[in-house]
Amino acid sequence: MKLVWIVILVIVAGYAGSYFVFSKNRLPAAIRDIFLTGWEFFLVGAAVGPGGFNLIESGQLEQLNPFIALG
């Protein structure tokens, strides 16, 4: 079940990134650059990985191989 929440978190991060980059409201340059370069996915990955909250275990990481191949 944690894996489903992680996938949902990545989808929400992608949606938020596209919303903030293409919205008419201008964000500060530093935040806008984070979304333009795709760093939000690295930040989410660091937060849910072993260096952060350790939500993804090694067995679950192997289950994500189809998503990694699509990336």
Side-chain angles (χ1 to χ4, degrees):
M1 188 64 184
K2 284 195 299 187
L3 191 60
V4 173
W5 286 110
I6 292 167
V7 171
I8 290 172
L9 182 65
V10 169
I11 291 171
V12 168
Y15 177 76
S18 66
Y19 177 77
F20 287 126
V21 167
F22 298 115
S23 71
K24 292 182 181 180
N25 300 332
R26 296 312 260 168
L27 293 172
I31 296 174
R32 190 173 59 236
D33 289 342
I34 288 173
F35 287 116
L36 282 173
T37 58
W39 271 95
E40 71 269 16
F41 295 110
F42 290 110
L43 296 175
V44 169
V48 300
F53 296 114
N54 199 19
L55 295 176
I56 299 179
E57 299 168 359
S58 62
Q60 292 175 337
L61 190 59
E62 290 179 12
Q63 293 176 357
L64 288 175
N65 281 340
F67 291 106
I68 293 171
L70 285 175

